[in-house]
Amino acid sequence: MSKIPVYFMPGLAASPTIFENIKLPEDEFEIILLEWFIPLEKESLEDYALRMTKNIIHENPVLIGVSFGGILVQEMAKLIKVRKTIIISSVKSNKEFPRRMKIAKSTMAYKLIPTQLLSNVEALAKYAFGETVTKRLALYERYLQMRDKKYLDWAIENVILWKNDKADEKVVHIHGQEDEIFPIKYISNCIPVKGGTHIMIINKYKWLNENLPLIIKKQ
């Protein structure tokens, strides 16, 4: 029996190390970790997604994306044939954005974010993970490796301006009930995870390890 290829895409600014505790049965699944690269000048999200698909070497893969990575894998799934698209701590359309993100779009306030300051891990963790870092600074330092200003400017703009206004019914959405970046009250049609925050890929990995195999194989 051939293994099911499962590609994981990390969240904004995060490195694939956020998946270090995710374990799927090795006789059934092959895990492949994707990582962010620097966007080209004024590159659209669609073009970036197309470049990312060049790293997909299996036919009919499962794509799993966290947060902004969830937005990216949905764009990738429009370009290649996939077995399943699963998003974690993310959104299925711009209608699921919280009010502050919709306001940031209409006022273009996102352009005022001093992304050079986000190279400071503490500020970036607050932005990417929705929580203030205290004791876990060293840990976050390892998880948040993409601190290039060009990438951060591009990523923040492409989250806020995401054009997708209609959710794809086939996307499987796993969402923490305590998510601070994308509050669950704005999210429809998801598998809720009790106590899950925006970083549940890191601290709810036991739930994910237990449930992902069934979610992936479910017809």
Side-chain angles (χ1 to χ4, degrees):
M1 190 183 84
S2 61
K3 297 180 184 183
I4 298 173
V6 184
Y7 285 78
F8 281 89
M9 186 75 220
L12 188 141
S15 78
T17 49
I18 65 165
F19 301 116
E20 62 190 356
N21 293 316
I22 299 295
K23 305 276 184 273
L24 302 177
E26 287 178 17
D27 56 334
E28 293 183 87
F29 304 97
E30 182 181 350
I31 289 183
I32 306 97
L33 303 179
L34 296 170
E35 53 188 304
W36 296 105
F37 45 77
I38 305 290
L40 302 172
E41 202 63 47
K42 295 193 165 44
E43 186 167 22
S44 70
L45 186 60
E46 293 81 357
D47 287 348
Y48 190 95
L50 182 63
R51 282 209 294 152
M52 189 61 82
T53 62
K54 305 286 184 266
N55 295 315
I56 307 286
I57 53 169
H58 300 82
E59 282 186 15
N60 233 8
V62 173
L63 301 181
I64 300 183
V66 172
S67 191
F68 181 39
I71 288 176
L72 184 68
V73 296
Q74 289 174 81
E75 290 297 328
M76 290 165 69
K78 294 173 185 174
L79 303 166
I80 57 169
K81 193 169 182 300
V82 299
R83 179 187 176 116
K84 190 168 273 189
T85 305
I86 300 170
I87 63 172
I88 299 169
S89 311
S90 190
V91 288
K92 297 181 292 300
S93 79
N94 56 26
K95 299 221 165 53
E96 295 186 328
F97 284 160
R99 266 189 66 231
R100 64 186 162 79
M101 285 177 80
K102 291 176 178 169
I103 291 166
K105 178 183 178 177
S106 60
T107 59
M108 292 178 81
Y110 65 90
K111 289 193 176 291
L112 304 176
I113 295 163
T115 40
Q116 64 277 15
L117 296 183
L118 294 184
S119 57
N120 157 347
V121 176
E122 214 154 329
L124 187 55
K126 181 97 185 92
Y127 208 82
F129 291 161
E131 47 175 74
T132 309
V133 188
T134 42
K135 23 181 209 304
R136 286 175 290 200
L137 194 59
L139 188 66
Y140 286 155
E141 193 112 28
R142 204 156 55 86
Y143 289 146
L144 292 168
Q145 286 175 354
M146 195 54 153
R147 297 182 216 148
D148 178 273
K149 181 175 174 359
K150 185 176 174 186
Y151 164 82
L152 291 169
D153 285 340
W154 173 86
I156 290 164
E157 181 162 45
N158 278 285
V159 173
I160 302 282
L161 300 184
W162 191 35
K163 295 192 202 81
N164 201 48
D165 57 5
K166 193 174 186 309
D168 179 345
E169 312 263 299
K170 296 191 296 293
V171 171
V172 178
H173 190 169
I174 302 170
H175 209 81
Q177 291 183 330
E178 311 296 327
D179 194 305
E180 326 71 71
I181 300 266
F182 298 123
I184 199 162
K185 66 179 178 184
Y186 300 109
I187 305 292
S188 58
N189 196 16
C190 72
I191 300 167
V193 178
K194 196 176 176 198
T197 64
H198 198 64
I199 56 159
M200 80 180 176
I201 194 72
I202 297 166
N203 58 20
K204 286 282 179 195
Y205 64 87
K206 287 181 181 151
W207 186 97
L208 291 161
N209 289 345
E210 214 170 287
N211 292 279
L212 274 177
L214 296 170
I215 291 169
I216 289 169
K217 289 191 292 184
K218 189 178 174 195
Q219 290 300 327

